[in-house]
Amino acid sequence: FTTLVTSLIMGLVFLGTGNNDEIPQRVQGVAGSIFFVIALSGFTGAGNIVQTIPVEWPIILREYNNGMYYSGVYFLCKYVATIPVLLILQLVSSAIVYFMFGLNSDPSRFFIFYAIVVVTVLSAESIGYLISAVS
């Protein structure tokens, strides 16, 4: 729900930036809007994960000590389990902001944008797991 609301707010803030007739303003507006999407996606991805390990630490430690699985398997499964939800949420979010920004309507360009956002969020989640494990 928050992803959709945030996407709508971003779309309204940068509404039609890709449709500006003056080239310098269009380039600056598009660059700013894409930066904002990538930065917000990254912070959201990392922020959702940072508190995971401290909360689940007693369970992780107990199951590791009982020989149920290794810690690497736990993190890999936890990471892979988030991917389907992430793909769906980012597809909806990217569709909202991309077309509200007025960017290129070519489907291949949209899917390049979507792929960049997904890779950014996956990387941010990995960094979030790292920060969570260190803290």
Side-chain angles (χ1 to χ4, degrees), residues 48-69:
N48 291 338
I49 301 297
V50 169
Q51 292 298 320
T52 300
I53 295 175
V55 170
E56 297 179 0
W57 183 248
I59 298 167
I60 297 168
L61 194 59
R62 183 190 69 215
E63 292 179 355
Y64 176 77
N65 288 333
N66 289 336
M68 297 179 94
Y69 50 80

Side-chain angles (χ1 to χ4, degrees), residues 3-117:
T3 303
L4 297 176
V5 171
T6 306
S7 299
L8 287 172
I9 291 171
M10 276 192 297
L12 289 173
V13 168
F14 293 103
L15 186 65
T17 56
N19 296 332
N20 195 342
D21 290 334
E22 297 181 25
I23 302 270
Q25 284 81 12
R26 181 173 48 196
V27 169
Q28 187 176 12
V30 169
S33 62
I34 291 175
F35 170 79
F36 192 74
V37 168
I38 297 297
L40 189 65
S41 298
F43 288 130
T44 304
N48 291 338
I49 301 297
V50 169
Q51 292 298 320
T52 300
I53 295 175
V55 170
E56 297 179 0
W57 183 248
I59 298 167
I60 297 168
L61 194 59
R62 183 190 69 215
E63 292 179 355
Y64 176 77
N65 288 333
N66 289 336
M68 297 179 94
Y69 50 80
Y70 296 105
S71 57
V73 173
Y74 168 78
F75 289 114
L76 181 64
C77 290
K78 192 109 170 111
Y79 186 72
V80 170
T82 63
I83 291 175
V85 173
L86 177 134
L87 290 174
I88 294 169
L89 283 176
Q90 292 308 317
L91 179 64
V92 172
S93 174
S94 295
I96 291 171
V97 298
Y98 189 85
F99 294 109
M100 285 184 79
F101 290 172
L103 301 178
N104 193 332
S105 60
D106 182 24
S108 65
R109 299 286 176 102
F110 168 73
F111 285 109
I112 290 170
F113 176 79
Y114 171 63
I116 291 170
V117 170

